[in-house]
Amino acid sequence: MGKLARRVAIVGAGMSKFGAHYPIKQNRDLWQDALINTIESVDHGVNLQKDVEELYLGNFSADLFNHEAHLAPLMAQLAGINPKPAARIEAACCSSGIAMRYGVLAVASGIHDFVLAGGIETMTEVPTVDVTDSLAAAADTRLEYPAGATFPGLYAAVATAHMHKYGTTEENFFDVAIKNYDNGAENPYAQVQMTIEQVIEGKITKAKKRGLEPPSWNNPYDFLRSESNPYIAYPLRLFDCSLVTDGAACVLLASEDIARKYTDTPIWITGTGQGSDTLALHDRDSLTSFLSARTAAQTAFKMSGLEPKDIQIAEVHDCFTIAELVALEDLGFYKPGEAAAAVSAGETKRDGILPINTSGGLKTKGHPVGATGTAQAVEIFKQMRGIAERNRQVKKDIERALSHNVGGSGASSVVHIYEK
Amino acid sequence: MNNEEFTIKNYFDFFAENKLMGNKCNNCGIMHIPPKKICNKCYGTKLEWIEFSGKGTLQTYSLIGVGARYFVNQGYKIENPYCFGIVQLEEGPCISGHIVGPEGFEQNPKKFKIGMPLKAKFLHVETEGIEPKIDLGFEPI
Ligand SMILES: [Zn+2]
């Protein structure tokens, strides 16, 4: 019980560029970009048509965003794998983290030797208020929505509770944002490739061009505290929120029997865990921690035989800055209420003791919700192989990593542990 | 009406009578809001309707500027946010509600304190494109 029946490795991983692509690129186009990027990542080459035995496709809500619902057979067709099985998996923002988990379980079971797990979401086709409403469909639409809940609003309620219980401040949220902007600036696949300093410079230049008095921000905190960073859902401001994004990402999973046919450096998935919790935030025992994530983490750690202190790098679900702090506490990296001080001390920067979200995270890489889980795996794959682009490769050999992907306001979670 | 089935529709229909109704497990005594057909604690199936007092305390909240369409249609916007809150009822269970108060209340974070006492207020909402309906709100006592 609780063990994989055989070892499973990622032998290829890739993604489309994340951004606001509509109408130039739509679901099927971004998916093919991700496929090509994935194929190119396989050291000894791969023939998807011949080799892939099943597609597990994560997608939250193409129904609402694009009026497309039956996505998996189409994406399987584009990968050349019809008539083999393909189905869509929905778990809000952790749809593709769970698609990857189901792929891992299928390969570990012996049913398949080689599968494709991916995720896709294109959100910019509809106006912002429809994005807000579609994301709110991941909450309890009968009980939370009529009370005014939005996706930022629910995380803001978690933030309010966290501030009240632990004394967490808005500055603590800014620390998370500043770090993730620094990381995203080094990621050519990220939606926003600018540090906060560069964002500020841009605003000052714009003001001067218009002949306006340029703003007098002396540092990122001045800017983040200003009216130029309005409250979307108090206490969360614009720069605390992840982006509205279009994108796709994939991983190729192989059994231990065939993994070395594709690469000499397979990335083994040694732990996978998933959890659930009440859909409505109001039914939870804790408003500052997610039981689903703690459950997923415990299962994954137990499976791998590792502990939080063994993990060298992690991609965590920072759909809002508060979510990164909650993640660090739920994963056991820090005690409840202690993550904020560690982030402020720089422990989670690229050169810190536990680099978090070197990709830029959902905050700046972008958050095409159904693609986020597999995109996290893409970053881990690169960091563990030492091939992360630009200046964001961490300067140590990564043997053990983790990804943490949360659905909605914590009702679903999935955690993976990776070893070389 | 207390013989009604424990459905979500019946829970909302009680709002028209200004009643906040849930149910209580005859076996273990735990209360649910809205009512459930299967007890969440002992998994028994013998439950009875009970009326909640509507009094409670604020557990957490957010003042939402970029709102759901339903609230945008009620006139809320970034300069004029509304308050989403979670309230623990005095009987024990928690529920989400729109937290309302006098003019300007929802726009001022200083007015809100975790633990502040509130009471239920049934909000009659009429906006474009939907049938008039009644939502659960809370206001300061
Ligand atoms: Zn009971």
Side-chain angles (χ1 to χ4, degrees):
Chain A
M1 268 266 290
K3 291 280 169 204
L4 296 174
R6 60 174 175 167
R7 296 212 298 164
V8 182
I10 301 183
V11 297
M15 60 191 282
S16 73
K17 187 180 175 308
F18 279 10
H21 292 297
Y22 187 83
I24 308 295
K25 288 192 181 191
Q26 304 182 19
N27 273 330
R28 60 194 76 198
D29 310 305
L30 293 168
W31 173 249
Q32 292 173 85
D33 286 351
L35 285 176
I36 292 167
N37 197 246
T38 303
I39 293 165
E40 286 170 351
S41 75
V42 181
D43 298 333
H44 305 160
V46 63
N47 180 331
L48 296 185
Q49 185 170 29
K50 252 180 57 206
D51 298 354
V52 172
E53 296 167 67
E54 182 157 355
L55 165 65
Y56 299 85
L57 183 72
N59 171 261
F60 165 52
S61 195
D63 329 39
L64 298 175
F65 293 130
N66 321 106
H67 197 65
E68 294 180 314
H70 199 181
L71 280 184
L74 170 64
M75 301 309 160
Q77 179 192 0
L78 296 168
I81 63 176
N82 298 141
K84 287 174 270 190
R88 167 182 156 190
I89 289 155
E90 188 280 311
C93 317
C94 66
S95 296
S96 66
I98 289 176
M100 183 167 97
R101 172 178 155 85
Y102 289 173
V104 168
L105 299 182
V107 172
S109 77
I111 285 279
H112 294 313
D113 268 319
F114 196 75
V115 304
L116 175 62
I120 187 156
E121 205 83 55
T122 58
M123 304 163 68
T124 67
E125 183 172 342
V126 294
T128 307
V129 66
D130 290 329
V131 174
T132 304
D133 261 30
S134 302
L135 290 172
D140 188 328
T141 57
R142 296 298 178 272
L143 298 178
E144 294 183 309
Y145 185 82
T150 60
F151 189 38
L154 290 166
Y155 273 92
V158 170
T160 304
H162 205 276
M163 292 164 100
H164 182 256
K165 186 165 181 186
Y166 299 115
T168 313
T169 64
E170 287 190 44
E171 273 68 22
N172 295 140
F173 304 150
F174 300 161
D175 290 333
V176 173
I178 292 166
K179 170 185 70 70
N180 289 348
Y181 274 84
D182 281 348
N183 289 343
E186 303 293 336
N187 186 350
Y189 293 87
Q191 184 165 3
V192 174
Q193 300 174 32
M194 276 193 287
T195 64
I196 292 278
E197 286 85 351
Q198 288 168 327
V199 171
I200 293 172
E201 272 169 43
K203 288 189 185 284
I204 291 175
T205 311
K206 215 183 214 172
K208 281 181 182 161
K209 255 192 204 153
R210 285 194 194 151
L212 301 170
E213 179 80 14
S216 61
W217 306 309
N218 291 316
N219 58 55
Y221 295 92
D222 280 354
F223 162 67
L224 292 170
R225 246 182 253 121
S226 75
E227 282 180 6
S228 294
N229 184 21
Y231 288 110
I232 299 299
Y234 174 90
L236 298 180
R237 298 173 184 257
L238 181 61
F239 279 71
D240 291 307
C241 304
S242 57
L243 308 162
V244 176
T245 309
D246 307 321
C250 307
V251 294
L252 287 166
L253 301 168
S255 71
E256 59 186 333
D257 302 334
I258 66 162
R260 288 185 199 277
K261 196 175 115 189
Y262 297 99
T263 178
D264 297 330
T265 47
I267 303 300
W268 301 102
I269 295 182
T270 60
T272 173
Q274 185 182 335
S276 71
D277 201 354
T278 66
L279 182 61
L281 205 55
H282 61 235
D283 280 329
R284 312 255 178 97
D285 287 336
S286 172
L287 294 171
T288 55
S289 165
F290 295 145
L291 177 63
S292 66
R294 297 201 310 274
T295 304
Q298 278 164 14
T299 309
F301 276 120
K302 195 168 172 223
M303 190 180 290
S304 68
L306 298 179
E307 293 177 38
K309 66 171 170 46
D310 299 319
I311 300 299
Q312 297 167 288
I313 186 173
E315 288 286 303
V316 307
H317 197 90
D318 62 318
C319 51
F320 299 92
T321 48
I322 177 63
E324 183 161 320
L325 299 178
V326 170
L328 295 176
E329 294 168 1
D330 285 345
L331 291 166
F333 294 142
Y334 299 100
K335 292 195 182 108
E338 294 183 6
V343 173
S344 295
E347 290 185 18
T348 59
K349 288 184 179 175
R350 287 200 303 279
D351 59 357
I353 56 166
L354 180 63
I356 297 292
N357 287 335
T358 53
S359 67
L362 285 51
K363 173 64 263 202
T364 61
K365 176 168 94 284
H367 185 27
V369 291
T372 282
T374 35
Q376 291 177 322
V378 172
E379 178 69 6
I380 297 289
F381 180 80
K382 288 178 179 174
Q383 288 285 351
M384 291 185 81
R385 292 172 152 228
I387 57 166
E389 299 87 356
R390 294 186 188 156
N391 202 24
R392 76 177 197 288
Q393 178 63 48
V394 299
K395 303 280 185 279
K396 58 185 173 190
D397 187 36
I398 306 297
E399 295 283 340
R400 296 169 303 277
L402 177 148
S403 66
H404 156 279
N405 187 198
V406 174
S409 48
S412 301
S413 292
V414 60
V415 169
H416 283 99
I417 293 172
Y418 310 75
E419 292 183 73
K420 232 174 2 205
Chain B
M1 185 127 181
N2 280 10
N3 293 322
E4 292 292 331
E5 199 176 341
F6 299 125
T7 61
I8 193 77
K9 180 177 187 300
N10 286 333
Y11 165 73
F12 286 124
D13 283 350
F14 275 119
F15 287 7
E17 301 171 31
N18 289 325
K19 281 182 174 171
L20 189 56
M21 298 294 290
N23 66 0
K24 182 176 176 179
C25 174
N26 285 339
N27 181 44
C28 75
I30 203 176
M31 282 177 270
H32 309 95
I33 182 167
K36 295 192 172 60
K37 293 190 180 192
I38 303 169
C39 173
N40 253 18
K41 191 175 174 203
C42 75
Y43 306 99
T45 51
K46 293 209 167 16
L47 302 105
E48 61 178 323
W49 282 101
I50 53 154
E51 184 175 352
F52 284 78
S53 72
K55 287 188 192 146
T57 52
L58 186 63
Q59 298 300 298
T60 192
Y61 63 93
S62 169
L63 308 184
I64 300 180
V66 177
R69 180 182 290 284
Y70 179 54
F71 279 72
V72 172
N73 289 351
Q74 291 175 48
Y76 291 103
K77 51 187 179 225
I78 196 147
E79 310 80 27
N80 179 35
Y82 62 85
C83 182
F84 162 82
I86 294 178
V87 177
Q88 182 168 29
L89 300 167
E90 63 182 359
E91 294 85 356
C94 293
I95 192 77
S96 296
H98 177 190
I99 316 296
V100 299
E103 184 80 33
F105 177 74
E106 289 179 81
Q107 290 74 47
N108 186 353
K110 292 198 176 75
K111 296 281 184 196
F112 294 86
K113 264 205 164 59
I114 288 179
M116 72 194 273
L118 301 167
K119 66 176 195 301
K121 179 175 180 156
F122 293 94
L123 307 170
H124 293 254
V125 179
E126 286 185 47
T127 71
E128 234 182 272
I130 61 154
E131 294 284 306
K133 67 186 282 266
I134 307 171
D135 289 330
L136 178 59
F138 288 89
E139 61 183 353
I141 293 177

